Amino acid sequence: MRARLKDIADQAGVSEATVSRVLNGKPGVAEATRQAVLTALDVLGYDRPSRLRRKSAGLVGLIVPELTNPIFPAFAQIIENSLAQNGYTPVLCTQVAGGVHEDDYVQMLLERGVAGIIFISGLHADTTTDSARYVALRERGLPLVLVNGYIEGVDAPFISNDDVASMGLALEHLVSLGHREIGLAVGPDRYVPVIRKIAGFRHSMQELTGRSDVDDLIERSLFTVEGGATAAGRLLDRGATAVVCGSDLMALGAIREARKRGLQVPRDFSVVGYDDSTLIAFTDPPLTTVRQSVNAMSAATVRALLDEIAGQPSPRAEYVFRPELVVRGSTGAVRRR
């Protein structure tokens, strides 16, 4: 878009002559005034002249799972925006079943000379993964930050949501509504977040209901709508009056299964999701869910990576963020059937 001097001058509060001097790279303009003109350009949506464009500090790889789960685009958008504001160009690498493997993406990023890589729910979340792939990256000095997963022996900061606390929040809510037969629908238990959710579920069920044997209330499935429906069906067959799901997509599947059986949510069956991803507040019914601290986790992720790149490494620890329970319309008082 071609810049109009008058519009820019009005926005920046300077004269058109000053705007012209800045755009043409002429001397004699105070730095604060120059920045005001450049900001006005950005605000008005004008393209900066090539000589005035921000120089990229380098590329940063961002490897995420499939984007069909809305929580991953949410992380990606915030992290990408924050990296760009700090002068880095994010390179988004999306993994899908049968698609490009994480290791292949890493090799591609290395060939492009990235300054660092952020992994979100990657192989580091899988307990069957060999940590050597990450150790090798660190040995060559590449800054890494790993989100929502943990693997021993990797010299890098980890950022995670508190899965144990998440289960406590969800179960406290359901027990307060009179539920005791509460199921847990999660993904495969080789993943660190799933293992932690199961541990939190066991602990909170013991603390809140006195029940230590809850194996028949735990269903492992897929992190999909179909997986949630299958898990909820099995739990309903065992008399569950409520379910806590490992993702919002699974929760939508649980609601669908309940309706398929002629049950109403929440009158006959209460459902709690996990993530509070985009549009979940507008489902029917609006979904009660455990909200991940996406903004805070994303900010911490970028800050940690920038510190690593700058040679000021973060303490080697896992930074665990407190979730929040968002109560909406998919949970209600227990109704004995």
Side-chain angles (χ1 to χ4, degrees):
M1 184 185 297
R2 183 176 177 80
R4 293 180 55 189
L5 294 183
K6 182 178 185 308
D7 294 340
I8 301 169
D10 290 345
Q11 178 69 32
V14 299
S15 68
E16 292 183 33
T18 298
V19 172
S20 179
R21 295 186 71 83
V22 172
L23 297 183
N24 289 292
K26 301 295 185 182
V29 180
E31 180 59 25
T33 302
R34 179 178 175 278
Q35 288 301 322
V37 171
L38 295 179
T39 300
L41 272 175
D42 297 337
V43 169
L44 294 172
Y46 292 128
D47 294 330
R48 294 187 182 194
S50 58
R51 76 176 76 84
L52 299 177
R53 290 174 187 164
R54 295 186 182 95
K55 299 294 190 294
S56 173
L59 303 176
V60 168
L62 176 58
I63 301 180
V64 301
E66 81 290 338
L67 299 181
T68 52
N69 186 333
I71 195 63
F72 297 128
F75 271 111
Q77 182 176 2
I78 298 170
I79 290 174
E80 284 185 321
N81 184 55
S82 183
L83 286 171
Q85 288 179 354
N86 284 279
Y88 287 88
T89 302
V91 180
L92 181 63
C93 302
T94 305
Q95 300 184 78
V96 296
V100 180
H101 193 273
E102 180 179 297
D103 292 342
D104 295 326
Y105 272 133
V106 168
Q107 186 57 43
M108 177 197 75
L109 293 170
L110 291 176
E111 290 171 357
R112 284 159 176 75
V114 293
I117 302 178
I118 295 170
F119 297 86
I120 299 178
S121 298
L123 291 176
H124 66 284
D126 190 334
T127 57
T128 66
T129 293
D130 185 354
S131 64
R133 54 172 46 87
Y134 301 111
V135 172
L137 292 174
R138 288 297 300 127
E139 286 179 345
R140 64 186 295 165
L142 185 71
L144 307 177
V145 180
L146 302 103
V147 180
N148 276 341
Y150 183 76
I151 190 167
E152 289 283 353
V154 176
D155 179 33
F158 291 81
I159 307 291
S160 297
N161 188 61
D162 192 333
D163 294 296
V164 173
S166 297
M167 294 299 101
L169 291 172
L171 288 172
E172 285 174 6
H173 171 61
L174 291 171
V175 169
S176 74
L177 294 172
H179 295 277
R180 294 297 182 272
E181 295 299 314
I182 305 167
L184 174 65
V186 286
D189 60 7
R190 70 175 187 270
Y191 296 110
V192 172
V194 173
I195 293 170
R196 291 174 173 178
K197 285 182 177 70
I198 292 174
F201 180 79
R202 291 184 186 278
H203 174 77
S204 291
M205 284 293 283
Q206 172 69 44
E207 289 288 311
L208 298 170
T209 70
R211 183 168 179 177
S212 58
D213 182 10
V214 294
D215 288 347
D216 61 333
L217 292 174
I218 300 173
E219 277 296 326
R220 301 158 181 84
S221 185
L222 299 175
F223 283 116
T224 62
V225 171
E226 294 76 16
T230 299
R234 293 171 180 163
L235 292 166
L236 281 165
D237 288 341
R238 298 185 196 128
T241 63
V243 62
V244 180
C245 298
S247 74
D248 288 337
L249 291 182
M250 294 188 80
L252 296 181
I255 292 173
R256 186 173 74 179
E257 179 63 22
R259 287 178 172 165
K260 180 180 175 182
R261 293 170 176 241
L263 303 176
Q264 293 185 26
V265 176
R267 189 191 72 172
D268 303 308
F269 189 55
S270 287
V271 179
V272 179
Y274 183 92
D275 285 335
D276 195 31
S277 43
T278 308
L279 301 181
I280 284 301
F282 306 101
T283 58
D284 180 23
L287 187 66
T288 295
T289 189
V290 177
R291 175 184 293 163
Q292 288 200 63
S293 301
V294 175
N295 288 329
M297 291 172 66
S298 298
T301 297
V302 173
R303 184 72 267 154
L305 187 75
L306 295 179
D307 287 346
E308 294 283 321
I309 293 172
Q312 302 168 347
S314 302
R316 292 308 186 249
E318 182 179 20
Y319 301 89
V320 181
F321 286 75
R322 178 79 178 179
E324 175 188 358
L325 180 69
V326 182
V327 179
R328 298 193 181 102
S330 65
T331 49
V334 66
R335 177 174 179 264
R336 301 298 176 188
R337 297 195 294 272

